């Protein structure tokens, strides 16, 4: 197996790593790599910061180990290798009436990545996280031995692996429970929201299975927190054919001025204006509803070659209204916000010790990489910490060890489990070292 | 009419992508190659992607005794027999320069083995007056270049064989498609210096599938290699011999 010496980065492209990557295509190749010594596994590099990076070290790209292993139509349990993407699972199983119970905001994420970051989706308030539907997984540990791990067989290691950022070993394959989907379509209702308070009311009143809010983070004053509330129910009516829209690609890095405040404000005005005052109902293909940004391949290039940060936090319900208001005021005043911030209500569901979600509201905003943006993110993080909220490690590229320790109450327990099964830190990544997640430095 | 696709060298990334495409179209599949563990995993994968049936069988380009079982299975199949040759190997030119004996294995993988297999398969297609053979060559076979000419010469030989086979099979209504891929993002090219315009195996497999359906004779994949190679083929030898493209 050849090792490729290369520079690579996560989706945000601010943090980069130089290192050696292997990309096994067969099980025998993976096993020969593992026998040379353990290294962290990486997927499709869709987390934003340095979660999938191992600078000056080795990493194993799992994207070519992407086969379906078994599917039981009686129970909906699918077993697949870790490199398979959500897109391929959906393309194969949605026509047969099954879909992953939880899907993240991009279908390019791999099965292994979804587990290692315990991702959530637009139905988190009722369905919980991706990891809640993992029945078992096969983990290759630091000792080179592969074994099946489930909540029943090894509950501690299982909970340390779900959302565990790859630190317990290489996730080789997993069995996940799919859910029934009656069609390939979603009934979508969209309505305009005037401000933050109305947004929170809309989430509280909504009954639908899937919900998301798109916020115009450039709006201020009376209009602070204005945006569009979008909710969806799986369509179960007579069959209808909606043509798939062709995806487009951003072929090269955009110049630095693309994300200047005027262009962003203009874009948001056009985008939010598309929904009529009275709201609208329409049928959309599942992938258009779940993964709107996937239609534009390499959209991260819009931020230019310097890249961008995504700040995502969750604020517990009680503090949400005041904290989010303070955050949005700071963001609007900075003039740094990018189009389409996302607001979503979260339920209590979390499946791992380092899982991000908590009951409350999550806000995600993109910022081009500038000095001022990093200062703003630090301020936002302090607000989240003060409100007993937390930031999402899969998105992070700027936080600190102290802050994260204060946010993740199970971090110390997680450390103990992980450091016991990987005492030499063979699976450490850039993120783990930067935030000293394992307390080894 | 049921369609059988025999995939020779089924463990390669391009072959896997092509087998998945055929599976999603409901074909019957024979996955033939050396790594039986890997092929067993591919059997389950292709079945779940919609293949009517999938069988893994041993196939070794360097061992002609492995061919018979596949030919028998093909003869027993009721329907249209198709085959796609993805088998091949590419030691680095520098390795061959240091050890010319390596050429023998590569000639077996890229030319001799596929030739013998296809030559035994061809009468079956002629009898049934149908079926398509896909042969995967390489842009490297279009001209001998200092960086890769031993490999290129095996592919050039295979191209010539495929052209002749096409000439023969077209008389009975069967068809031969020659595919000349450029750089494809597979284990063969992973980490090699000097790669550019690298295509994904999935895109190449899709292009091959479409070309086979349209009974194209020769395709470059991705298509733009046709123009790159047009230029490279037309550089006068007097100049080309001094270049290191």
């Amino acid at each position: 197996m050849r090792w490729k010496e290369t520079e690579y980065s996560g989706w945000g492209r601010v943090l980069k790593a130089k290192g050696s990557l292997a990309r096994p295509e067969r099980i025998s190749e993976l096993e020969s790599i593992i026998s040379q010594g353990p290294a962290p596994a990486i997927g499709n590099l869709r987390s934003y910061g340095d979660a999938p990076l191992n600078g000056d070290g080795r990493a194993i790209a799992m994207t070519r180990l992407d086969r379906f292993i078994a599917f039981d139509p009686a129970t909906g349990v699918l077993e697949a290798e870790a490199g398979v993407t959500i897109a391929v699972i959906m393309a194969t199983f949605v026509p047969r009436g099954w879909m992953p119970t939880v899907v993240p905001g991009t279908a390019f994420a791999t099965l292994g990545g979804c587990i290692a970051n315990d991702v959530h989706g637009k139905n988190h308030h009722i369905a919980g996280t991706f990891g809640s539907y993992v029945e078992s997984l096969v983990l290759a540990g630091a000792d080179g031995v592969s074994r099946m791990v489930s909540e029943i067989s090894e509950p501690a290691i299982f909970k340390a692996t779900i959302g565990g950022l790859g630190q317990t070993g290489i996730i080789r394959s997993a069995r996940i429970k799919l859910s029934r989907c009656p069609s390939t379509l979603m009934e979508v209702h969209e309505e305009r929201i005037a401000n933050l308070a109305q947004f929170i009311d809309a989430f509280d009143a909504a009954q639908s299975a899937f919900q998301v809010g798109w916020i115009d983070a450039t709006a201020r004053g009376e209009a602070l927190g204005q945006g569009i509330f979008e909710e969806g129910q799986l369509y179960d009516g007579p069959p209808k054919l909606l043509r798939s829209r062709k995806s487009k690609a951003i072929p090269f890095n955009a110049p630095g001025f693309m994300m200047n405040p005027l262009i962003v404000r203009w874009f948001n005005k056009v985008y939010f204006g598309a929904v009529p005052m009275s709201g609208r109902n329409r049928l959309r293909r599942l992938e258009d509803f779940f993964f709107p940004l996937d239609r534009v391949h390499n959209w991260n290039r819009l931020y230019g070659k310097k890249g961008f940060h995504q700040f995502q936090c969750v604020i517990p319900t009680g503090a949400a209204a005041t904290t989010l208001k303070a955050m949005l005021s700071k963001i609007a005043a900075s003039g740094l916000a990018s189009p389409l911030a996302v607001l979503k209500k979260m339920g209590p569901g979390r499946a791992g010790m380092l899982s991000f979600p908590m009951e409350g509201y999550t806000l995600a905003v993109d910022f081009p990489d500038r000095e001022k943006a990093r200062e703003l993110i630090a301020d936002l993080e302090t607000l989240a910490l003060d409100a007993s909220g937390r930031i999402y490690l899969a998105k992070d590229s700027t936080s600190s060890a102290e802050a994260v320790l204060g946010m993740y109450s199970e971090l110390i327990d997680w450390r103990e489990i992980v450091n016991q099964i990987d005492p030499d830190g063979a699976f450490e990544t850039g993120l783990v070292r930067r935030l000293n997640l394992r307390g080894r430095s | 009419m049921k369609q059988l696709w025999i995939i020779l060298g089924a463990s390669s990334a391009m072959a896997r992508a092509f087998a998945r495409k055929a599976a999603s179209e409901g074909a019957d599949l024979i996955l033939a190659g050396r790594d039986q563990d890997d092929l067993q995993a591919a059997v389950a994968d292709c079945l779940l992607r919609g293949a009517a049936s999938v069988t893994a069988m041993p196939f070794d380009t360097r061992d002609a005794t492995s061919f018979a079982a596949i030919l028998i299975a093909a003869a027993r199949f009721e329907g249209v027999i198709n085959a796609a040759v993805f088998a091949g190997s590419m030691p680095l030119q520098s390795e061959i320069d240091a050890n010319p004996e390596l050429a023998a294995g590569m000639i077996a993988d890229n030319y001799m083995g596929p030739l013998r297999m296809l030559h035994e398969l061809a009468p079956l297609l002629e009898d049934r007056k149908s079926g398509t053979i896909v042969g995967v060559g390489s842009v490297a076979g279009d001209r001998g270049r200092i960086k890769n000419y031993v490999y290129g010469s095996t592919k050039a030989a295979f191209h010539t064989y495929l052209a002749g086979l096409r000439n023969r099979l077209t008389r009975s209504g069967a068809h031969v498609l020659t595919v000349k891929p450029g750089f494809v993002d597979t284990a063969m090219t992973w980490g090699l210096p000097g790669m550019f315009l690298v295509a994904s195996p999935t895109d190449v497999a899709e292009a091959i599938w479409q070309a086979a359906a349209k009974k194209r004779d020769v395709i470059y994949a991705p298509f733009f290699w046709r123009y790159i190679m047009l230029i490279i083929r037309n550089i006068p030898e007097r100049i080309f011999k001094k270049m290191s493209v």
Side-chain angles (χ1 to χ4, degrees):
Chain A
M1 185 77 227
R2 212 178 286 131
W3 291 85
K4 179 176 177 175
E5 303 303 320
T6 188
E7 186 178 73
Y8 59 110
S9 64
W11 190 244
R13 304 204 303 166
V14 174
L15 302 178
K16 294 179 164 64
K18 274 201 176 107
S20 317
L21 299 184
R23 191 186 59 190
E25 293 184 345
R26 308 179 195 191
I27 294 162
S28 58
E29 288 169 348
L30 175 67
E31 283 180 345
S32 104
I33 293 163
I34 291 173
S35 70
Q36 292 169 31
I42 61 175
N44 228 351
L45 300 173
R46 252 42 189 204
S47 48
Y48 285 63
D50 45 1
L53 308 183
N54 190 20
D56 303 321
R58 290 179 161 190
I60 306 170
M62 300 294 284
T63 46
R64 290 288 164 91
L65 293 169
D66 63 344
R67 288 173 291 208
F68 296 127
I69 299 168
F71 177 66
D72 181 353
T75 58
V77 173
L78 171 70
E79 183 175 9
E81 291 178 330
V84 70
T85 60
I86 296 295
V88 171
I89 296 176
M90 288 188 67
T92 310
F93 287 95
V94 167
R96 298 179 210 175
W98 294 95
M99 63 178 282
T101 313
V102 170
V103 295
T106 173
F108 293 120
T110 60
L111 173 59
C114 286
I115 295 171
N117 294 288
D118 197 18
V119 299
H120 58 270
K122 296 180 172 62
N123 58 350
H124 183 268
H125 57 291
I126 53 169
T129 55
F130 193 90
S132 318
Y133 302 91
V134 175
E135 305 256 303
S136 67
L137 47 88
V138 175
L139 195 65
D143 53 6
V145 179
S146 293
R147 60 182 192 279
M148 210 264 287
V149 176
S150 74
E151 182 128 45
I152 298 151
S153 72
E154 292 186 81
I157 294 180
F158 186 76
K159 291 198 78 153
T161 302
I162 307 283
L165 303 160
Q167 297 307 297
T168 55
I170 299 162
I171 299 170
R172 294 178 55 158
S173 64
R175 294 168 69 240
I176 60 168
K177 199 153 167 29
L178 305 185
S179 292
R180 277 281 179 196
C181 65
S183 72
T184 61
L185 302 176
M186 183 75 85
E187 276 181 279
V188 182
H189 172 74
E190 292 157 292
E191 63 185 60
R192 288 199 198 185
I193 299 290
N195 55 45
L196 182 64
Q198 238 189 60
F199 240 126
I200 290 179
D201 290 345
F203 275 114
D204 286 341
Q207 300 291 317
S208 47
F210 301 93
Q211 312 173 346
V212 65
W214 303 96
I215 284 193
D216 175 0
T218 61
R220 20 181 133 189
E222 293 286 289
L224 190 78
Q226 75 174 9
I228 292 168
F229 180 65
E230 199 177 318
E231 50 185 329
Q233 290 283 73
L234 294 168
Y235 173 71
D236 194 10
K240 278 189 186 163
L241 200 65
L242 287 194
R243 238 184 307 153
S244 65
R245 294 190 294 171
K246 229 181 152 167
S247 58
K248 297 177 175 64
I250 307 291
F252 45 74
N253 291 317
F257 61 78
M258 257 308 281
M259 287 293 165
N260 90 25
L262 279 176
I263 293 181
V264 172
R265 247 181 289 164
W266 169 80
F267 174 89
N268 282 358
K269 209 171 160 188
V270 172
Y271 186 88
F272 294 107
V275 174
M277 292 303 283
S278 53
R280 71 175 164 188
N281 294 303
R282 53 180 178 154
L283 277 180
R284 301 192 71 189
R285 291 159 47 87
L286 290 180
E287 54 269 42
D288 291 340
F289 175 77
F290 286 123
F291 321 114
L293 292 174
D294 282 358
R295 283 191 52 242
V296 185
H297 288 247
N298 303 113
W299 62 261
N300 53 353
R301 289 179 179 166
L302 288 172
Y303 289 91
K305 69 169 186 249
K306 283 170 69 185
F308 71 108
H309 301 276
Q310 182 171 96
F311 170 77
Q312 182 167 6
C313 67
V314 57
I315 307 296
T317 312
T322 37
T323 304
L324 290 173
K325 191 170 179 187
M327 285 181 167
L328 287 170
S329 308
K330 270 187 188 294
I331 294 167
S334 75
L336 287 167
S338 303
L340 301 186
V342 176
L343 180 69
K344 213 198 109 43
K345 187 177 183 173
M346 290 195 131
R350 56 206 306 273
M353 304 173 84
L354 289 196
S355 296
F356 164 67
M358 66 167 76
E359 191 155 19
Y361 288 83
T362 176
L363 175 71
V365 196
D366 296 346
F367 302 103
D369 182 43
R370 310 230 170 94
E371 184 60 41
K372 249 179 84 185
R374 288 189 291 268
E375 286 164 15
L376 173 64
I377 291 170
D379 288 350
L380 298 175
E381 190 180 286
T382 308
L383 285 171
L385 193 57
D386 291 347
S388 304
R390 61 170 77 101
I391 58 153
Y392 194 1
L393 298 175
K395 306 289 179 74
D396 179 62
S397 49
T398 60
S399 191
S400 66
E402 303 72 51
V404 170
L405 193 58
M407 292 171 175
Y408 282 85
S409 57
E410 290 176 85
L411 183 60
I412 302 289
D413 296 339
W414 176 81
R415 257 179 206 174
E416 207 165 297
I417 297 167
V418 169
N419 287 336
Q420 197 177 351
I421 57 175
D422 175 27
D424 301 327
F427 297 118
E428 284 194 339
T429 56
L431 175 95
V432 172
R433 286 188 288 268
R434 178 169 56 82
L435 300 179
N436 194 22
L437 292 182
R438 292 177 58 170
R440 295 174 77 252
S441 52
Chain B
M1 188 69 107
K2 287 176 68 168
Q3 300 279 338
L4 172 68
W5 275 96
I6 304 167
I7 315 285
L8 299 164
S11 285
S12 82
M14 233 188 293
R16 188 189 287 179
F18 186 80
R20 286 171 165 179
K21 177 67 188 172
S24 72
E25 300 283 340
D28 292 84
L29 290 171
I30 291 175
L31 304 178
R34 278 179 304 164
D35 187 341
Q36 291 301 302
D37 290 342
D38 179 72
L39 292 182
Q40 285 307 333
V43 167
D45 184 55
C46 287
L47 280 173
L48 286 168
R49 286 165 189 262
S53 73
V54 192
T55 317
M57 300 187 81
F59 172 72
D60 185 346
T61 49
R62 304 184 191 187
D63 175 12
T65 59
S66 68
F67 301 175
I70 299 167
L71 292 163
I72 291 168
R76 283 198 191 129
F77 181 78
E78 290 170 18
V80 178
I81 301 170
N82 306 281
V85 182
F86 290 93
S89 62
M90 187 179 75
L92 297 177
Q93 179 74 36
S94 56
E95 290 168 4
I96 299 164
D97 293 345
N99 179 12
E101 248 177 69
L102 281 177
M106 184 167 59
I107 291 166
D109 295 341
N110 298 350
Y111 179 55
M112 199 58 224
L115 179 156
R116 285 195 57 179
M117 180 70 196
L118 293 182
H119 229 67
E120 299 207 42
L121 194 64
L124 287 175
L125 275 69
E126 285 176 318
D127 282 353
R128 301 187 187 197
K129 301 186 176 5
S130 65
T132 296
I133 286 172
V134 174
V136 176
S138 169
V139 293
D142 273 10
R143 195 153 195 187
R145 297 173 302 116
I146 187 165
K147 284 179 183 165
N148 208 7
Y149 63 90
V150 180
Y151 172 78
S153 67
T154 64
K155 289 296 190 179
F158 190 43
H159 294 165
T160 307
Y161 172 75
L162 290 169
L165 190 64
R166 174 162 45 246
N167 201 182
R168 168 181 159 189
L169 290 190
T170 194
R171 285 145 219 269
S172 58
H175 182 64
V176 175
L177 163 66
T178 306
V179 180
K180 299 182 183 177
F183 296 135
V184 186
D185 188 11
T186 65
M188 204 188 252
T189 58
W190 178 254
L192 286 186
M195 293 289 132
F196 58 93
L197 298 171
V198 180
S200 84
T202 318
D203 290 349
V204 171
E206 183 69 36
I208 296 173
W209 185 265
Q210 301 300 341
K214 288 183 196 147
K215 295 210 167 183
R216 300 273 305 275
D217 295 320
V218 181
I219 63 158
Y220 288 82
F223 70 95
F224 52 76
W225 281 93
R226 170 174 298 276
Y227 306 104
I228 297 173
M229 295 318 294
L230 183 71
I231 295 166
I232 290 187
R233 278 201 319 274
N234 283 291
I235 300 171
E237 193 68 16
R238 270 185 354 165
I239 298 166
F240 192 80
K241 69 183 179 188
K242 293 175 191 153
M243 293 170 66
S244 47
V245 286

